[in-house]
Amino acid sequence: SETDHRVDFLDPTIRWYLITLVTTAAFLPWVVMLLRSFSDRGASLAKPLALLGLIYPLWLIASISPLPFSAFGLWITLILATAIGWPLAVRSSAIDRSTVGYAALSEGVFLLAFAGFIWFHGYGPDVTYQEKPSDLMMLSSSMRATEMPPPDAWLAGEPINYYYIGYVVFGALGRLVDTTPAVAFNLSLATVFGLTVVGAAGLTGNVIARWRPGRPALFGGLLAAMLVVFLGNPWSTREYVAAPEDALDAERSSGLLF
């Protein structure tokens, strides 16, 4: 039923977000120790770097050895990152109240952007048009792969001959959430949107803060995020303002949301 469909989507969405949150918390000390000179201690870049840190060790090992790329290995990576990183950060006083505040602010902005995109993308969630079918194939293969590069589902016996590491990142989240490739695909888009908002705001805010800390850096970061994600494609904005009901039909909204 329609109600069951909504519940089925809600559950993996919550689990997906919680896993990104846990991953960010696990790798936050490493990011802070690496980017301590940033005005926000690297908090705005913590989530994308954490997602990369989650898959990179196991991806590298699976690429050069028989050790499989698996959900078990990803959980071990999370546990080791937490068990080693947090004691090091506490001992070096890298984590303080301001760091926690910046991390909470970045997470809050990400959650708002993530949830907002999911709502808006609900007008056109079909994995059709443009390059979406090939994207779905590579994501699906990455979610099942035990060796790297993942196998090419459209060319049996051959590995994916494309830039595939991003699919491995979101395929790893799909494994940990234990959801379908179609759901993981749409949640990946929402995650990329959230990461873009926080990353654009954080990077710009960090640059401005070197000369004008405080409100100028905050407002400059928010303006940068608006320019990147909402006004980067003036055609989409114009189409939506002129005719929202047409812009949100399945095929046209595919262009708006990409």
Side-chain angles (χ1 to χ4, degrees):
S1 68
E2 183 178 355
T3 302
D4 292 338
H5 176 74
R6 289 177 179 177
V7 171
D8 288 343
F9 185 76
L10 179 62
D11 179 62
T13 300
I14 293 174
R15 285 186 283 127
W16 180 284
Y17 170 71
L18 291 177
I19 287 177
T20 67
L21 178 61
V22 169
T23 303
T24 304
F27 284 90
L28 180 63
W30 298 98
V31 176
V32 171
M33 289 186 288
L34 178 65
L35 303 177
R36 192 182 299 189
S37 62
F38 283 35
S39 65
D40 69 350
R41 311 297 190 273
S44 56
L45 297 178
K47 194 176 293 290
L49 292 177
L51 293 176
L52 182 61
L54 170 66
I55 65 100
Y56 190 83
L58 197 58
W59 167 81
L60 182 61
I61 293 171
S63 298
I64 62 177
S65 77
L67 189 69
F69 191 94
S70 64
F72 176 76
L74 294 170
W75 286 119
I76 294 298
T77 302
L78 272 179
I79 293 171
L80 290 176
T82 305
I84 298 173
W86 275 97
L88 285 176
V90 171
R91 193 173 304 144
S92 63
S93 301
I95 302 290
D96 55 20
R97 182 174 297 179
S98 65
T99 303
V100 174
Y102 284 125
L105 177 61
S106 297
E107 191 62 38
V109 173
F110 171 82
L111 179 56
L112 287 174
F114 178 78
F117 187 94
I118 289 175
W119 167 78
F120 188 69
H121 190 60
Y123 287 101
D126 297 338
V127 187
T128 54
Y129 312 111
Q130 300 173 338
E131 297 180 356
K132 289 183 182 181
S134 61
D135 290 331
L136 181 62
M137 179 275 290
M138 287 183 278
L139 177 64
S140 179
S141 294
S142 298
M143 288 177 64
R144 294 194 301 266
T146 57
E147 58 185 24
M148 294 293 149
D152 191 326
W154 291 353
L155 190 61
E158 297 293 331
I160 290 177
N161 184 21
Y162 195 70
Y163 316 104
Y164 69 88
I165 195 69
Y167 300 99
V168 175
V169 171
F170 294 113
L173 292 177
R175 287 175 191 254
L176 298 179
V177 172
D178 191 25
T179 188
T180 64
V183 172
F185 180 88
N186 284 303
L187 293 175
S188 299
L189 294 181
T191 303
V192 170
F193 181 79
L195 294 177
T196 303
V197 170
V198 177
L203 285 174
T204 305
N206 276 296
V207 172
I208 296 175
R210 289 185 174 272
W211 295 276
R212 297 290 302 274
R215 289 186 177 181
L218 176 62
F219 290 133
L222 293 176
L223 177 61
M226 290 286 293
L227 291 173
V228 170
V229 301
F230 294 117
L231 300 178
N233 185 348
W235 177 87
S236 298
T237 305
R238 185 192 67 184
E239 288 292 299
Y240 178 74
V241 171
E245 65 283 355
D246 293 335
L248 293 178
D249 103 326
E251 180 173 3
R252 293 170 68 82
S253 65
S254 176
L256 288 171
L257 298 175
F258 258 59

